[in-house]
Amino acid sequence: MIRFFQKFRWPDWVILGVLMAFFGYIWFTIEGSLNYSWRWHLIPNYILGWHTTREVYFANILLQGLGATIRISVYASVLALIFGTILGIARCSSNLTIRMLARTYLELLRNIPPVVVIFIFFFFLSQQLIDFLNLERWARGIARQDNNAVWEFFFGEMRRFPSLIAGVIVLALFESAFVGEIIRAGIQSIPKGQREAARSIGMSHGQELRYIVLPQAVRKVVPPLANQFISLIKDSAILSLISVQELTYKTLELVASSRMIFEAWLTTAGFYFVICFGLSRLFARFEKRSDNR
C-alpha cells in the first residue's frame, strides 16, 4: 500500500482530494438536508445473523441474496456458453436457413431492451417450462425431506427452486446472444487456408470444427467470454423484476422493512464490486500467464 501511494504525483493527489471532497459533500448533504440517520451498525446483522435459540450463526437476508446471485450466475453462464456455442456455430453454417435463424435470434436479443427480453422469456418460455415439468411440486417434496443439505447447498432453499430455475433459464437465453457473437467472431478469425487444408486431407465439416477451428477459436474468445461472465453477474440484478430472490431483490426487501436505504444499497453495490472486480483481476492474471506461454 505504501509503495502504491509513493507512485502518486501532485496531479494524482489533487484528483484524490477532489474526489474525497465530493463524496464528503454527498455524505453531509444526505445527513443534513435529508435529516438521515445512518445505521451502519445494523448492516452486519443482515449479512450474518445470530440465532438466539439455537445459538448459531445463519446466513441472513443479504447473504442469502448473494448466494442466490452466485448460483444463478454460475448455472446461467454454463447454459449461456452451451447455447451461445451452438448459435455461434450456426452463424457460420453453410446452410442459409440455419444461418439466418441464428442471426435473427442474435439480432433480436441484442437490439431489444433487456427488461423486455426478460419478461418475454419468463412468461412465454421459463414459466411455461416449469409448469409443464411440475418442478414446484417436486421442489416442495425435496424441501420436506430431512436430508436435503446437498440440495440446499447447490440450489438454496428448495421451496424457491422454481424461481431459481426461471432466473437461470431467462438469463442464459438472454446472455447466449452475446456469447454467440463472441463465438462467431472467434470462428471467423481462423484463416480460411487452415479450413481448406483440413478439407484437402479428407476431414468432414464436423472434424474440421472439432480438431482445427474450435481449439484455436477457444484461445481467442476466452478473454471476451470472461468479460461477458462479469457482465452476466451484473445483469442478474434484472431478475429481481420477475421476483427471483437474488441480491437485488433481497436488498429491496431489506429497504422496505428497515428503511435503511443508503446503507443497504451501498452494501449491495460493494458486494457486486468485490465479486466483479475480483473476477476481472483474476481473469487478467490468467490472460497474462497464457500470453507468457
Side-chain angles (χ1 to χ4, degrees), residues 174-215:
F174 172 68
E175 295 292 335
S176 64
F178 300 92
V179 174
E181 278 297 286
I182 294 173
I183 299 296
R184 190 270 308 164
I187 292 175
Q188 291 183 344
S189 67
I190 306 303
K192 293 182 179 180
Q194 296 192 26
R195 299 183 181 183
E196 293 173 355
R199 293 169 190 169
S200 66
I201 60 175
M203 281 189 175
S204 64
H205 182 66
Q207 291 174 329
E208 173 193 331
L209 283 174
R210 181 180 177 183
Y211 297 110
I212 304 297
V213 177
L214 288 180

Side-chain angles (χ1 to χ4, degrees), residues 41-52 56-69 71 156-157 160 245-251 253-255 257-258 260 267-268 271:
H41 61 284
L42 298 178
I43 289 295
N45 296 327
Y46 289 101
I47 299 174
L48 198 63
W50 172 257
H51 201 293
T52 55
V56 293
Y57 286 102
F58 65 95
N60 212 339
I61 185 169
L62 289 178
L63 195 57
Q64 292 172 7
L66 180 63
T69 295
R71 292 187 187 98
E157 187 177 346
R160 295 170 182 165
Q245 300 194 9
E246 41 74 63
L247 182 56
T248 301
Y249 185 91
K250 290 292 188 179
T251 305
E253 286 187 341
L254 176 58
V255 170
S257 61
S258 66
M260 291 191 296
T267 302
T268 298
F271 278 136

Side-chain angles (χ1 to χ4, degrees), residues 9-58:
R9 298 180 180 179
W10 70 265
D12 302 318
W13 289 108
V14 171
I15 294 173
L16 182 62
V18 170
L19 289 175
M20 292 179 65
F22 173 74
F23 286 112
Y25 172 76
I26 297 295
W27 182 283
F28 287 111
T29 299
I30 293 172
E31 196 172 32
S33 301
L34 300 180
N35 196 22
Y36 188 81
S37 177
W38 295 92
R39 292 179 290 171
W40 282 107
H41 61 284
L42 298 178
I43 289 295
N45 296 327
Y46 289 101
I47 299 174
L48 198 63
W50 172 257
H51 201 293
T52 55
T53 305
R54 299 178 182 177
E55 295 186 348
V56 293
Y57 286 102
F58 65 95

